[in-house]
Amino acid sequence: FLEGERILLGAEFFANQYENKPIATGSQTFTETLIGRQTLHDMGKIPPYGVAETFAVGDLAYVGQEGRDYSVIFICRLFQGQIFIFDCVYGNWDSAAVAENTINVLLKHRPSIMYYERFNGWEAYNNVISAAALTKGVQKVPLQWEKGSQADNAKLIRIGLVKGPLDVRRLWFYAGMPGYQILTNQLVKWPKLGRHDDFADTAGMVVSAPTNYQLTAPPQIESGLSWLQKLNQGPIMESSG
């Protein structure tokens, strides 16, 4: 009966009605298996500060918009052609809160650069951030405002770009970071994201940022290895146990 219903209704509708899934398993772009393979559960496997370049990427939601997305900042490490998203701060922030969280990220993680998406009024936000930084003794904020695409379905396209780096093992997530499960849920639902896409979109911004990660070939080794093993690039075999 169920197989007949699947044929009659189609895979998408059947998944909604009978399997309580927003998307049919066969049509998923980001599967739980793929995301799980690229998820690290040990912070010790994240390349540390000083060995890897640290950068941050932020997507700010409009203040006052009813039911708006969160503002999201991902903190990342760039190491041998691979990006590790290992920390996150997010919330419903006004300009003062954006400034506070930006400075907190800067003081805690010391990123070499921070990429935020440019939007209407970004200059005013930049001024608020700069003023707040001075009160904390920070003379210069390494903040670069990136112009986003205004094309139709720009967010869907940008989120879709996450798939390539995940497939070729150039993008990694840390399971212990705040918002990890939200990010996973949004990716799994893509392209039927529903109302919110803030975390998935910020991940798209991470791989779209001008870090030139793709110009460096990653080491030809298996997953689950520590940053130190990757640094050595020795011939390492994955355990079969």
Side-chain angles (χ1 to χ4, degrees):
F1 168 77
L2 290 176
E3 189 57 34
E5 288 293 286
R6 185 192 305 274
I7 296 171
L8 179 65
L9 299 174
E12 294 284 348
F13 192 75
F14 181 88
N16 274 274
Q17 294 298 309
Y18 287 98
E19 297 179 323
N20 196 29
K21 296 181 179 179
I23 257 180
T25 300
S27 65
Q28 284 181 307
T29 298
F30 300 98
T31 65
E32 292 89 345
T33 300
L34 173 61
I35 295 171
R37 189 194 71 178
Q38 293 306 109
T39 296
L40 299 173
H41 298 268
D42 180 1
M43 188 62 188
K45 292 181 178 178
I46 306 294
Y49 183 86
V51 171
E53 178 187 355
T54 303
F55 68 98
V57 175
D59 186 14
L60 307 181
Y62 290 108
V63 175
Q65 181 181 359
E66 185 177 355
R68 71 185 189 276
D69 285 346
Y70 287 121
S71 289
V72 179
I73 304 173
F74 281 147
I75 299 90
C76 315
R77 294 259 166 82
L78 177 61
F79 180 73
Q80 293 189 346
Q82 301 163 97
I83 295 174
F84 298 79
I85 301 177
F86 71 95
D87 200 2
C88 171
V89 291
Y90 65 95
N92 292 130
W93 303 333
D94 58 16
S95 59
V98 167
E100 179 182 1
N101 283 282
T102 298
I103 303 308
N104 286 344
V105 167
L106 185 61
L107 294 174
K108 179 180 179 181
H109 294 289
R110 295 175 290 170
S112 59
I113 191 165
M114 307 178 76
Y115 301 101
Y116 283 5
E117 184 176 18
R118 187 180 298 186
F119 58 92
N120 291 334
W122 70 270
E123 297 97 336
Y125 270 68
N126 193 68
N127 291 336
V128 172
I129 292 169
S130 298
L134 290 175
T135 66
K136 297 289 183 69
V138 179
Q139 298 299 315
K140 184 178 180 180
V141 179
L143 180 56
Q144 183 169 313
W145 295 85
E146 292 291 314
K147 185 176 181 180
S149 173
Q150 301 302 313
D152 292 341
N153 297 320
K155 282 191 175 184
L156 286 178
I157 295 170
R158 186 161 59 194
I159 295 169
L161 294 176
V162 175
K163 179 65 158 45
L166 281 179
D167 270 341
V168 298
R169 322 203 86 164
R170 283 180 176 262
L171 180 64
W172 300 84
F173 304 135
Y174 175 52
M177 73 177 182
Y180 168 79
Q181 195 58 55
I182 303 175
L183 170 62
T184 297
N185 292 343
Q186 290 184 4
L187 287 175
V188 167
K189 292 178 181 178
W190 188 89
K192 294 187 175 182
L193 293 169
R195 189 171 185 180
H196 298 292
D197 57 12
D198 36 16
F199 288 78
D201 189 36
T202 308
M205 290 178 61
V206 168
V207 300
S208 301
T211 59
N212 293 324
Y213 77 94
Q214 70 275 13
L215 301 182
T216 301
Q220 299 299 311
I221 54 181
E222 297 299 324
S223 65
L225 303 177
S226 73
W227 63 270
L228 184 58
Q229 290 171 315
K230 293 178 182 179
L231 180 64
N232 293 332
Q233 298 189 55
I236 302 171
M237 301 297 292
E238 187 174 71
S239 173
S240 60

